[in-house]
Amino acid sequence: MTKIEFLQAMAKGWFGNSQQHSIQAQILKQRGFGKLADKIMAESDEEWNEAKKVNARLIELGVTPTVELAEYPVFTDVKEMLEYDCRDAAEALPEMSKSLTLFDDDYVTKAMIQEFIVDEQEHYNWVKQHLSLIQEIGMDNYLIEQIGD
């Protein structure tokens, strides 16, 4: 994979994931789980901004970005949503880390991807923490904790 192909795939993934999380947040909000909905919507906003950063970098590199979204599933089950996010982040982190060598001669892009890795690791840790909480206190008690704003 070339540098440009990797960046285009990142933008496509971030835009798609942003839309997935936005939909998930709206579903959660409608069901009354405002605390969780707010966190997931913040994740959506962060992913949207990351995609825009990638597209801006592509333009700086002389490439016209494409308008594409990666497809992601939408879940109505909270635990399934968190488990999917956990797997998705666990798969993305090594891939993003390996890609850094593509950008050894491009400090600006490499620094941007390193930022994304930190953000993705934080999201992964948050999801793992919430899955552990579900295991510890049970799904019903977890959902009670997520009610409200």
Side-chain angles (χ1 to χ4, degrees), residues 7-8 10-12 14-15 45-61 63 65 108-109 111-117 119:
L7 290 173
Q8 289 171 326
M10 282 189 78
K12 180 180 174 180
W14 289 130
F15 279 129
D45 294 342
E46 185 176 302
E47 291 158 347
W48 186 260
N49 288 329
E50 289 167 338
K52 291 191 314 185
K53 285 181 188 177
V54 172
N55 278 344
R57 186 65 185 144
L58 283 165
I59 292 167
E60 290 169 358
L61 294 171
V63 176
V108 173
T109 307
M112 179 182 70
I113 293 170
Q114 287 170 326
E115 252 182 63
F116 296 160
I117 291 170
D119 290 342

Side-chain angles (χ1 to χ4, degrees), residues 20 72-73 75 79-89:
Q20 176 207 35
Y72 288 90
F75 299 95
K79 187 175 180 192
E80 285 179 11
M81 176 194 72
L82 293 171
E83 289 170 340
Y84 179 86
D85 268 11
C86 188
R87 284 189 310 273
D88 190 46

Side-chain angles (χ1 to χ4, degrees), residues 1-11 58 63 102-103:
M1 181 176 286
T2 69
K3 296 177 193 183
I4 299 305
E5 290 170 339
F6 180 79
L7 290 173
Q8 289 171 326
M10 282 189 78
L58 283 165
V63 176
L102 287 172
F103 301 96

